[in-house]
Amino acid sequence: VYYQQKPFPDSPISKIFTDSRKIYGDEHALFVALKGPNYDGHAFVHKAYDKGIRLFLVEQFQETLAPDALQLKVTNTLHALHQWAVHVRKQFFGKVIAVTGSNGKTMFKEWLSTLLEEEIPVYKNPKSYNSQLGVPLSLIPLNNQSAVAILEAGISTVGEMEKLARLIKPKLGVFTHLGSAHDEGFSSREEKLTEKLKLFKETQDLILPEVLYRNYQEKIKAELLLGCFSVFSGAL
């Protein structure tokens, strides 16, 4: 990690943007230049500056950016967001509920949060922020003003859920449904189930549909070492 000019200010970051088209920033907003197979957020750093952003998380310094812009250079900006989210999660002392499944994640999250909000302060993912980018962006604003955090996690191929599980570290898990969504990212439905169950390796309790438990009971028991867990199956 390298700093340009001076360290980032101590004042809290108000917003995080990864898409320059959606910026409505202030001097405390952060633009994260992400890289992917078909895009490079560094191409939009100057546009973000023109829209008022002065804090940037980058993999490459932008030498032509104005001197009042602060650039924090890291090896991988997405990984940096993950590390940031891990730190935030460690500071949270409330109960974390994780929701995954082929369908119904957002609907269940919204329903459960509506019920709980009548009694306790609840935090949840905005919209359907459940991806490798969405989960850390959801976690970073989390604080102990909330008693419960409900976080959904979605994957499209193998190797993704372990990363999300490291961020979320739920105490209670909800598995809504196992269906055909994203089948193309897995060799079989059983492999997809195995990957999704990795979210619950450290949970104390798991809630899932009765039909899912009935059809995959032995696999679920094997994956989760159910001597240490409670499973509640029924209609979700």
Side-chain angles (χ1 to χ4, degrees):
V1 174
Y2 304 94
Y3 291 103
Q4 179 177 337
Q5 301 161 3
K6 58 182 178 179
F8 269 31
D10 291 333
S11 55
I13 291 173
S14 59
K15 309 175 193 71
I16 300 174
F17 296 101
T18 60
D19 187 338
S20 62
R21 297 169 296 181
K22 299 179 180 179
I23 289 174
Y24 54 97
D26 55 46
E27 62 180 1
H28 300 300
L30 172 71
F31 179 74
V32 182
L34 296 169
K35 279 188 173 183
N38 303 309
Y39 63 89
D40 186 348
H42 294 81
F44 303 98
V45 166
H46 285 80
K47 183 177 180 181
Y49 179 90
D50 292 341
K51 289 190 171 185
I53 301 293
R54 295 296 180 265
L55 306 177
F56 298 88
L57 185 63
V58 299
E59 296 177 17
Q60 301 162 344
F61 276 133
Q62 306 301 295
E63 302 292 345
T64 59
L65 206 56
D68 63 332
L70 299 179
Q71 300 182 62
L72 176 60
K73 180 179 179 291
V74 296
T75 303
N76 185 302
T77 49
L78 180 59
H79 180 67
L81 286 178
H82 277 233
Q83 292 296 96
W84 187 357
V86 167
H87 173 73
V88 171
R89 173 64 183 90
K90 287 179 179 178
Q91 313 308 311
F92 182 66
F93 301 111
K95 187 159 200 165
V96 175
I97 302 171
V99 183
T100 195
S102 299
N103 305 100
K105 297 182 291 295
T106 302
M107 182 174 65
F108 186 91
K109 176 199 69 182
E110 295 294 333
W111 171 78
L112 181 59
S113 65
T114 299
L115 289 180
L116 295 178
E117 283 169 348
E118 296 180 3
E119 303 291 337
I120 55 176
V122 176
Y123 180 82
K124 61 185 178 182
N125 306 69
K127 303 178 183 179
S128 296
Y129 278 32
N130 58 36
S131 65
Q132 298 294 308
L133 175 59
V135 169
L137 290 179
S138 298
L139 269 169
I140 287 169
L142 179 64
N143 60 57
N144 283 300
Q145 293 179 358
S146 299
V148 172
I150 308 173
L151 300 166
E152 57 177 291
I155 59 172
S156 57
T157 190
V158 297
E160 292 183 344
M161 190 59 90
E162 285 177 308
K163 297 175 183 177
L164 298 185
R166 176 172 170 264
L167 304 185
I168 300 173
K169 297 183 75 68
K171 295 303 180 185
L172 171 65
V174 178
F175 200 135
T176 61
H177 173 65
L178 182 66
S180 60
H182 300 296
D183 270 355
E184 65 278 3
F186 305 90
S187 63
S188 65
R189 194 68 58 86
E190 287 73 18
E191 182 182 57
K192 181 163 64 174
L193 173 62
T194 298
E195 290 297 311
K196 288 183 178 293
L197 287 173
K198 290 177 180 178
L199 179 59
F200 306 123
K201 288 290 187 180
E202 297 183 35
T203 57
Q204 297 170 339
D205 300 295
L206 175 60
I207 300 171
L208 74 170
E210 182 178 359
V211 64
L212 177 60
Y213 188 60
R214 185 170 64 245
N215 291 343
Y216 297 98
Q217 182 174 351
E218 295 307 316
K219 187 167 189 60
I220 292 170
K221 287 181 177 179
E223 292 294 334
L224 294 183
L225 302 174
L226 287 177
C228 304
F229 294 83
S230 299
V231 172
F232 304 92
S233 62
L236 285 181

